[in-house]
Amino acid sequence: MDELRILVNPILLGAGHSLFSALGKRLPLDLWRTTTFRSGNVLLTYRPAAR
């Protein structure tokens, strides 16, 4: 994987499910960039952590 991009849409919910529960193990990632849009959405860009 070169990078992982997650778009966060801020809405309030009572409960949720883990986005990565099916992976089975943790992947070391570093937050590389954030982009905030006027709509309130935030784009989070992660890259693999240096080992």
Side-chain angles (χ1 to χ4, degrees):
M1 168 180 71
D2 293 328
E3 66 182 32
L4 172 67
R5 295 181 184 174
I6 300 173
L7 184 63
V8 179
N9 184 0
I11 55 175
L12 193 59
L13 298 174
H17 299 282
S18 173
L19 182 62
F20 304 106
S21 61
L23 285 179
K25 67 174 186 168
R26 290 183 178 260
L27 299 173
L29 300 173
D30 288 330
L31 180 61
W32 183 65
R33 179 177 24 190
T34 61
T35 306
T36 304
F37 300 94
R38 283 185 285 170
S39 63
N41 292 348
V42 179
L43 178 63
L44 305 172
T45 304
Y46 291 91
R47 288 191 170 175
R51 294 182 183 223

